[in-house]
């Protein structure tokens, strides 16, 4: 079908503008019309950023007053279109840009990419994610430059006119020379520490040199007086050269800046920004906080860091990327360790233990979402965009892809680093000569851009498969922290075990590794499609992670190629499973019931029983770590039987009756075990004291206050 141009047909009623970029993409306006929301065939522009720019202005006027934004299928000239819109009478019209060129049109399979381009256009028309609470930063521009003295002073001289600068020399102090004009504070010390974030950094250090640089007037009297030359124009005493003449003290006189009796003190100051020029960064984090730069010794890197810090003055905000529900958190109970996965995976060290729960510092959170991906209970969730918002994009893409004739969709999840790789592959494909290696993305690959590749987890992957995707892959660029790549690989292994256990053939979930120059594009082209779900799901992704997983798994099981087994073995660390209880060792103390954060374990008020609802279990291990008898073992698996939602009895015991009143309390096994363990203790010496262990709480008190020879109910029974 021939693609109509703006010269050949009237502009349709559409809020989407598509350009074939000087006829370098074979776009079909008729096939793309539905995805673009057009009436009739979609007009395909040739030079929308040039000769046909008036068409963009006309579309702006047509979109005025409408709720739906104007979508432009071009990201290269986004700045131009934004500038034109801002200078027009319709600056209030929201704009949205989507890349169909490098992701689809520039590819060796461009002729088959119409379903993919339609899917991208359909997703671009969806509403923006719902706004969330903002995290605010306030910076007045107070900057501390820490590290090598000479380099710190050199950068302080350059930045003093832009920022409120302070220098803290911790290295190379002997080679430093303080400026003659006191334009900013210069301090010295050792063992510097940095904590905090943009606008709220706390820097501490040990002040140990005999000369206090804040009191020093730089008169050079001490420099001239020192017979060993131990004091230079850095106005610090080189203690290795100093022989204790103390001539400098006399020369300083009433100024009092030199004091060898001064005790080593720890000083703390607050700053908005930190430029760390230390040989080894004071914060060794893969994702340091905003406002902290550690460029090392490279002058170019230092210049870039200084330029960045100079812009961080004022008020800033970012989304609060996470949502935390402490009620279902499985971190700890009664000082017993459970799940630490969010703490272990966070590359910004924004999450810390806080009693039975965890605490997230929103100013340190960078929105990677790895905590939500590894959380088994859903207590930690990714809030911006939320799972329902991202799920809506995935569903719209896959549904439009299928309607447009696409098959075997591969959802490629990537972040900004992955986007650069995809763009480079598209440009290489366009520039390649026939028969060369430039291929671009395959036509069946649907790229899904996210803030961080670790923010999409098992719930979204399985929902994508339920929506009809053949495969899901995460593009790892090598810029991620190693913890995230490992976490994604572990979660992908769990997801693949679930899908394979349900009977679907092929490799459905995994990583595409582009780190260290790996040929990621060839790896994608080499992927054989996996078996897809026969009937795509129609529901939306639930906000609750456990609910989303349950919906996806039930749908995949219902439409599996064959009847799936009742139970599927899963790798360690899976969020589903059962418990094995050693009934001989278990005394039914029920400590595990109190420790369970997911209400998977319960007692029976009628009889001594330990009951278990497998559907609720998140395999956190709190029950096992709490059990005083070490009688519980985790068994990761996916149970598809209906009984998974009902109480199962893991242990039961004969009730023990009070030897005084006959009332049932505890279990015989527990009382026998307690009696055996405490029988040799001095506090329970004698038959009477030991017998009290076999009484209920009320009778124990009565027995202690009455005659020990009093008849019991058992004497009456005789």
């Amino acid at each position: 079908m021939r693609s109509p141009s703006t010269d050949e047909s009237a502009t349709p009623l559409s809020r989407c503008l598509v350009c074939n970029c000087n006829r370098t993409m074979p776009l079909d306006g008729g096939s793309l019309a539905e995805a673009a929301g057009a009436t009739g065939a979609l007009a395909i522009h040739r030079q929308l950023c040039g000769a046909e720019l008036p068409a963009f202005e006309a579309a702006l006027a047509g979109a005025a007053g409408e709720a739906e934004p104007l979508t432009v299928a071009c990201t290269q000239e986004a700045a131009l279109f934004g500038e034109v819109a801002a200078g027009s009478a319709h600056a209030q019209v929201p704009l949205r840009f989507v890349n169909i060129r490098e992701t689809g049109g520039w590819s060796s399979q461009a002729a088959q990419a119409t379903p993919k381009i339609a899917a991208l256009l359909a997703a671009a028309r969806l509403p923006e994610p719902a706004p969330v609470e903002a995290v605010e930063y306030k910076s007045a521009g107070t900057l501390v430059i820490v590290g090598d003295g000479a380099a710190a002073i050199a950068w302080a001289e350059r930045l003093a006119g832009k920022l409120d600068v302070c220098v803290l020399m911790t290295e190379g102090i002997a080679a430093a020379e303080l400026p003659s004009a006191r334009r900013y504070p210069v301090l010295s010390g050792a063992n510097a520490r940095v904590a905090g974030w943009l606008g709220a950094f706390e820097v501490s250090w040990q002040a140990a040199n005999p000369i206090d640089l804040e009191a020093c007037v730089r008169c050079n009297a001490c420099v001239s007086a020192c017979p060993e030359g131990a004091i230079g124009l850095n106005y610090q005493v080189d203690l290795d050269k100093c022989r204790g003449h103390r001539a400098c003290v006399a020369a300083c006189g009433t100024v009092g800046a030199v004091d060898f009796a001064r005790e080593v003190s720890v000083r703390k100051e607050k700053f908005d920004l930190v430029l760390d020029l230390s040989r080894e960064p004071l914060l060794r984090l893969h994702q340091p906080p905003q406002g902290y730069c550690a460029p090392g010794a490279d002058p170019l890197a230092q210049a870039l860091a200084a330029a960045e810090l100079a812009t961080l003055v004022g008020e800033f905000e970012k989304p609060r990327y996470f949502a935390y529900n402490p009620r279902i958190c499985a971190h700890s109970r009664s000082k017993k360790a459970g799940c630490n996965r969010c703490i272990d995976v966070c590359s910004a060290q924004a999450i810390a233990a806080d009693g039975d729960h965890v605490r997230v510092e929103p100013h340190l959170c960078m929105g990677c979402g790895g905590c939500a991906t590894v959380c088994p209970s859903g207590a930690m969730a990714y809030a911006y965009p939320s799972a329902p918002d991202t799920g809506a994009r995935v569903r719209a893409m896959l549904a439009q892809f299928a309607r447009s004739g696409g098959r075997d969709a591969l959802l490629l999840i990537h972040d900004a680093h992955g986007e650069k790789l995809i763009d480079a592959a598209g440009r290489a494909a366009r520039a390649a000569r026939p028969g060369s290696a430039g291929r671009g993305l395959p036509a069946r690959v649907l790229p899904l851009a996210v803030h961080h590749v670790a923010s999409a987890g098992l719930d979204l992957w399985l929902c994508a498969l339920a929506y009809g995707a053949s495969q899901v892959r995460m593009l790892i660029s090598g810029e991620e922290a190693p913890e995230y790549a490992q976490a994604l690989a572990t979660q992908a292994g769990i997801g693949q075990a679930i899908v394979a256990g349900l009977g679907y053939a092929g490799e459905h979930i995994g990583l595409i590794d582009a780190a260290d120059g790996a040929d990621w594009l060839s790896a994608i082209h080499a992927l054989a499609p996996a078996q897809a779900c026969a009937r795509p799901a129609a529901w939306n992704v639930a906000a609750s992670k456990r609910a989303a997983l349950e919906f996806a798994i039930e749908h995949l099981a219902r439409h599996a190629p064959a009847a799936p087994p009742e139970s599927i073995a899963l790798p360690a660390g899976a969020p589903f499973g059962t418990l094995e209880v050693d009934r001989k060792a278990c005394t039914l103390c029920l400590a595990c019931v109190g420790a369970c954060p997911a209400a998977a374990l319960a007692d029976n008020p009628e009889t001594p029983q330990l009951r278990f609802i497998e559907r609720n279990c998140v395999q956190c291990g709190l029950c096992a770590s709490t059990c005083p008898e070490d009688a519980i073992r985790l068994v990761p698996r996916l149970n598809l039987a209906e009984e998974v939602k009902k109480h199962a009895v893991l242990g039961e015991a004969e009730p023990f009756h009070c030897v005084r009143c006959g009332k049932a309390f505890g279990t015989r096994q527990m009382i026998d075990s307690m009696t055996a363990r405490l029988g040799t203790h001095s506090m329970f010496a004698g038959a009477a004291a030991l017998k009290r262990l076999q009484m209920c709480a009320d009778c124990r008190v009565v027995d202690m206050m009455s005659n020990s020879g009093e008849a019991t109910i058992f004497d009456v029974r005789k």
Side-chain angles (χ1 to χ4, degrees):
M1 178 178 178
R2 187 181 176 197
S3 301
S5 69
T6 51
D7 298 327
E8 296 170 339
S9 65
T11 302
L13 299 176
S14 171
R15 293 292 179 266
C16 183
L17 296 174
V18 177
C19 178
N20 62 21
C21 200
N22 199 25
R23 295 179 178 171
T24 58
M25 293 184 285
L27 302 181
D28 184 344
S31 300
L32 297 178
E34 178 193 13
T39 301
L42 177 68
I44 303 298
H45 299 275
R46 178 184 174 186
Q47 295 180 13
L48 189 61
C49 61
E52 296 178 280
L53 192 58
F56 170 73
E57 297 173 319
L60 272 176
E66 298 290 337
E68 184 176 349
L70 178 62
T71 300
V72 182
C74 174
T75 52
Q76 175 179 290
E77 301 297 337
L80 170 65
F81 293 123
E83 183 179 347
V84 171
S88 72
H90 309 292
Q92 76 281 2
V93 175
L95 298 178
R96 196 172 298 166
F97 302 95
V98 56
N99 182 3
I100 65 171
R101 190 178 70 177
E102 283 83 1
T103 57
W106 283 0
S107 167
S108 60
Q109 298 182 11
Q112 296 85 43
T114 296
K116 176 206 291 197
I117 294 173
L120 295 173
L121 293 177
R125 296 177 57 217
L126 292 177
E128 291 289 337
V132 295
E133 178 185 350
V135 179
E136 297 181 346
Y137 299 86
K138 293 183 180 180
S139 169
T142 57
L143 168 69
V144 61
I145 307 177
V146 187
D148 180 78
I153 290 172
W155 279 110
E157 289 292 306
R158 298 183 183 98
L159 294 172
K162 304 179 181 68
L163 299 170
D164 185 3
V165 177
C166 174
V167 170
L168 173 58
M169 301 185 296
T170 58
E171 302 172 5
I173 299 176
E177 182 175 326
L178 272 59
S180 56
R182 193 192 292 270
R183 300 169 57 205
Y184 45 83
V186 179
L187 310 171
S188 71
N191 300 322
R193 300 287 186 270
V194 175
W197 51 83
L198 173 62
F201 285 105
E202 182 176 87
V203 181
S204 63
W205 68 95
Q206 287 182 336
N209 199 274
I211 298 182
D212 183 351
L213 288 176
E214 292 182 284
C216 176
V217 297
R218 305 179 193 175
C219 64
N220 291 338
C222 61
V223 177
S224 302
C226 180
E228 292 93 9
I231 306 175
L233 294 181
N234 60 0
Y235 305 106
Q236 294 285 272
V237 178
D238 186 339
L239 297 177
D240 291 333
K241 294 181 179 179
C242 178
R243 294 295 177 265
H245 291 284
R246 303 298 188 263
C248 54
V249 177
C252 188
T254 57
V255 173
V258 186
D259 183 2
F260 283 84
R262 183 182 294 114
E263 295 182 358
V264 176
S265 62
V266 176
R267 294 192 53 184
K268 294 182 180 180
E269 296 286 346
K270 293 186 180 297
F271 299 93
D272 297 321
L273 307 165
V274 178
L275 177 58
D276 184 2
L277 302 181
S278 307
R279 286 190 298 269
E280 294 292 335
L282 299 178
L283 292 180
R284 299 185 183 183
L285 300 175
H286 189 276
Q287 186 68 21
Q290 291 170 305
Y292 171 87
C293 292
D298 181 15
L300 177 58
Q302 292 180 357
L304 293 174
E308 177 186 345
L309 292 171
T311 66
L312 296 178
V313 180
E315 297 185 6
F316 308 90
E317 65 178 31
K318 67 178 180 183
R320 188 183 179 98
Y321 288 106
F322 67 93
Y324 176 58
N325 182 1
R327 185 178 60 83
I328 58 174
C329 178
H331 170 63
S332 174
R333 289 293 184 276
S334 304
K335 299 184 179 180
K336 294 290 185 180
C339 175
N340 287 315
R341 296 175 196 176
C342 61
I343 297 175
D344 295 339
V345 80
C346 182
S347 67
Q349 293 186 4
I351 309 177
D354 187 22
D356 284 346
H357 305 111
V358 298
R359 175 177 49 81
V360 186
E361 175 48 65
H363 293 89
L364 293 177
C365 173
M366 296 299 173
C368 68
C371 53
T373 293
V374 300
C375 180
S377 67
M380 198 72 71
Y382 200 66
Y384 189 78
S386 65
D389 285 331
T390 303
R393 289 173 57 200
V394 173
R395 182 184 171 194
M397 290 174 67
L398 291 169
Q400 185 63 56
F401 183 78
R403 283 196 299 267
S404 301
R407 296 184 59 187
D408 301 323
L410 189 158
L411 187 68
L412 182 64
I413 301 174
H414 66 86
D415 53 22
H417 299 295
E419 184 175 359
K420 293 179 181 179
L421 296 172
I422 293 172
D423 287 351
R427 291 192 296 271
R430 176 60 193 163
R433 298 172 182 246
S436 68
R439 293 180 290 178
L441 286 182
R444 73 184 188 96
V445 174
L446 303 180
L448 176 69
V450 294
H451 180 66
H452 194 288
V453 70
S455 64
L458 190 60
D459 50 343
L460 184 69
W461 306 339
L462 292 181
C463 285
L465 296 180
Y467 288 150
S470 166
Q471 291 160 301
V472 178
R473 289 293 186 273
M474 285 62 70
L475 180 56
I476 302 299
S477 66
E479 298 294 330
E480 308 84 5
E483 297 92 335
Y484 296 131
Q486 180 58 49
L488 287 173
T490 299
Q491 295 295 311
I494 295 169
Q496 180 59 35
I498 291 174
V499 182
L502 292 173
Y504 291 88
E507 296 184 9
H508 293 79
I509 304 175
L511 309 184
I512 295 294
D513 191 355
D516 301 325
D519 191 356
W520 65 275
L521 194 57
S522 293
I524 287 183
H525 277 273
L527 276 176
Q531 188 174 12
C533 183
R535 183 176 178 181
W539 34 257
N540 297 324
V541 174
S544 165
K545 180 176 183 176
R546 300 289 293 190
L549 286 170
E550 187 173 316
F551 270 97
I553 292 171
E554 285 185 357
H555 183 89
L556 292 171
R558 188 180 306 116
H559 301 284
E566 285 194 354
S567 179
I568 300 171
L570 297 180
F576 308 104
T578 186
L579 303 176
E580 285 186 356
V581 176
D582 184 345
R583 296 199 177 199
K584 293 182 179 179
C586 176
T587 62
L588 238 65
C589 67
L590 302 180
C592 54
V593 174
C596 181
L601 288 167
D603 64 347
N604 187 336
E606 303 298 329
T607 184
Q609 279 185 342
L610 175 62
R611 300 192 295 175
F612 176 65
I613 302 178
E614 186 169 345
R615 175 192 187 184
N616 294 349
C617 182
V618 298
Q619 295 281 289
C620 64
L622 271 171
C623 55
S625 60
T626 301
C627 178
E629 313 297 342
D630 195 23
I632 301 177
R633 187 174 73 88
L634 304 180
V635 182
R637 72 174 186 181
L638 179 62
N639 191 342
L640 300 173
E642 279 299 314
E643 287 71 21
V644 74
K645 304 175 184 179
K646 303 176 183 178
H647 280 111
V649 177
L650 296 183
E652 56 186 334
E654 175 189 353
F656 187 88
H657 297 271
C658 174
V659 297
R660 183 182 181 92
C661 70
K663 181 175 68 174
F665 81 101
T667 68
R668 177 166 294 280
Q669 186 176 2
M670 180 177 68
I671 299 300
D672 290 346
S673 175
M674 184 169 58
T675 303
R677 292 186 179 187
L678 298 178
T680 57
H681 197 281
S682 58
M683 288 185 63
F684 296 93
L690 198 60
K691 191 174 182 180
R692 291 193 185 106
L693 295 175
Q694 300 173 336
M695 298 179 186
C696 66
D698 294 336
C699 291
R700 198 173 301 132
V701 174
V702 172
D703 184 75
M704 292 175 64
M705 304 300 295
S706 63
N707 184 355
S708 61
E710 182 181 358
T712 69
I713 191 172
F714 294 98
D715 296 325
V716 175
R717 286 176 180 175
K718 292 179 180 179

